[in-house]
Amino acid sequence: MKQIIALGGGGFSMEPENPLLDSYILTQSKEINPKICFIPTASGDADNYIARFYDFFKTQNCKPTHLSLFNPPTRDLEEFILEKDIIYVGGGNTKNLLILWREWGLDKILKKAWEKGIVLAGISAGALCWFEEGITDSYGDGLEPLQCLGFLKGSNCPHYDGEKDRRPSYHQLIETQRIKAGVAADDGVAIHYIDDEIAKIVSSRPKAKAYQVFLENKVVEKQLPTEFLGGF
């Protein structure tokens, strides 16, 4: 079973007092005490981001580690990755993430991990990287389409309600056919794919939703069923 959990926003980096999405990710592994590895490439391996990961996950029933490409723990990245149960990719600059991953061969290793059944998860850049295309602010001012890894079909737009330009920019790019149709996620939403198909959508915020966005003479936005995980 192949699994990818794409967070539009939320998790330990955005909602440190609301563990609902991160707890959901942990329960998707069949292991009681899963080995979870954080990959903070998109943030340039920011120390405070790595610290926030450990602040949360060291208190959970799991074994947290992280992979730095600026200070790699081993020469054998494939062995390091493939012995994990969950891979959690952080947010930041998606273009830089993709360039570094391809240079290090991590893109191919992560595809092996996905095909092996290791749970892949991520937020923002760490979510859209799995799709064919994504909408990104990696270039600086403005939002642009970006070719991504293509594990999942179509495009992805995170922070759909959290950043004012996301929704109109995504619509405009789809309308002008500069980006493929796809799925958008509000902050606090996780889209859970099993074997390339959406299996479930969950949220840590009562009103947060996910949407299919596509072109049918005009741009159509279809709200998808989203389960609120409870909490506050």
Side-chain angles (χ1 to χ4, degrees):
M1 182 171 68
K2 299 183 295 185
Q3 298 188 74
I4 292 178
I5 304 171
L7 280 66
F12 71 91
S13 63
M14 290 182 65
E15 299 178 315
E17 304 304 320
N18 187 346
L20 293 174
L21 293 183
D22 292 332
S23 297
Y24 178 84
I25 289 169
L26 286 175
T27 62
Q28 303 317 304
S29 171
K30 64 181 182 297
E31 301 298 327
I32 296 172
N33 195 28
K35 291 174 281 188
I36 181 168
C37 179
F38 181 49
I39 305 182
T41 314
S43 69
D45 288 355
D47 289 340
N48 66 341
Y49 203 2
I50 296 168
R52 280 181 284 159
F53 167 78
Y54 284 108
D55 283 345
F56 175 76
F57 285 99
K58 71 183 180 184
T59 67
Q60 307 302 305
N61 291 324
C62 65
K63 298 174 183 176
T65 57
H66 74 280
L67 172 62
S68 169
L69 293 182
F70 294 86
N71 186 23
T74 175
R75 286 181 175 269
D76 194 341
L77 297 185
E78 182 167 330
E79 181 182 33
F80 183 83
I81 289 293
L82 294 184
E83 61 95 21
K84 301 299 187 288
D85 302 303
I86 303 170
I87 304 297
Y88 196 142
V89 181
N93 190 302
T94 318
K95 184 173 178 64
N96 289 345
L97 172 152
L98 292 168
I99 289 169
L100 283 169
W101 281 9
R102 287 165 178 152
E103 179 65 26
W104 283 83
L106 193 57
D107 55 335
K108 294 180 174 63
I109 295 170
L110 288 169
K111 189 166 187 182
K112 287 183 182 180
W114 179 54
E115 292 170 344
K116 182 183 176 184
I118 295 170
V119 178
L120 303 183
I123 176 174
S124 191
L128 66 89
C129 67
W130 311 117
F131 292 80
E132 289 181 298
E133 297 177 326
I135 179 171
T136 181
D137 56 5
S138 295
Y139 298 93
D141 290 343
L143 292 159
E144 300 285 342
L146 181 69
Q147 296 292 311
C148 299
L149 295 175
F151 295 7
L152 300 173
K153 298 295 184 185
S155 66
N156 177 250
C157 178
H159 307 303
Y160 202 50
D161 69 336
E163 297 177 6
K164 64 181 179 63
D165 293 333
R166 288 279 175 169
R167 184 182 243 115
S169 295
Y170 194 42
H171 284 208
Q172 194 268 338
L173 289 170
I174 289 175
E175 184 175 28
T176 56
Q177 300 183 53
R178 292 182 60 204
I179 198 170
K180 295 181 179 181
V183 291
D186 289 343
D187 286 342
V189 169
I191 306 174
H192 188 175
Y193 286 80
I194 296 178
D195 295 334
D196 312 341
E197 300 291 337
I198 295 175
K200 192 172 187 179
I201 302 171
V202 297
S203 73
S204 61
R205 305 178 186 184
K207 296 180 180 179
K209 303 294 180 184
Y211 306 84
Q212 282 184 335
V213 187
F214 54 94
L215 188 62
E216 202 171 77
N217 297 319
K218 63 178 182 179
V219 174
V220 178
E221 180 182 279
K222 179 183 177 184
Q223 184 174 301
L224 298 171
T226 303
E227 177 187 332
F228 175 49
L229 293 171
F232 44 90

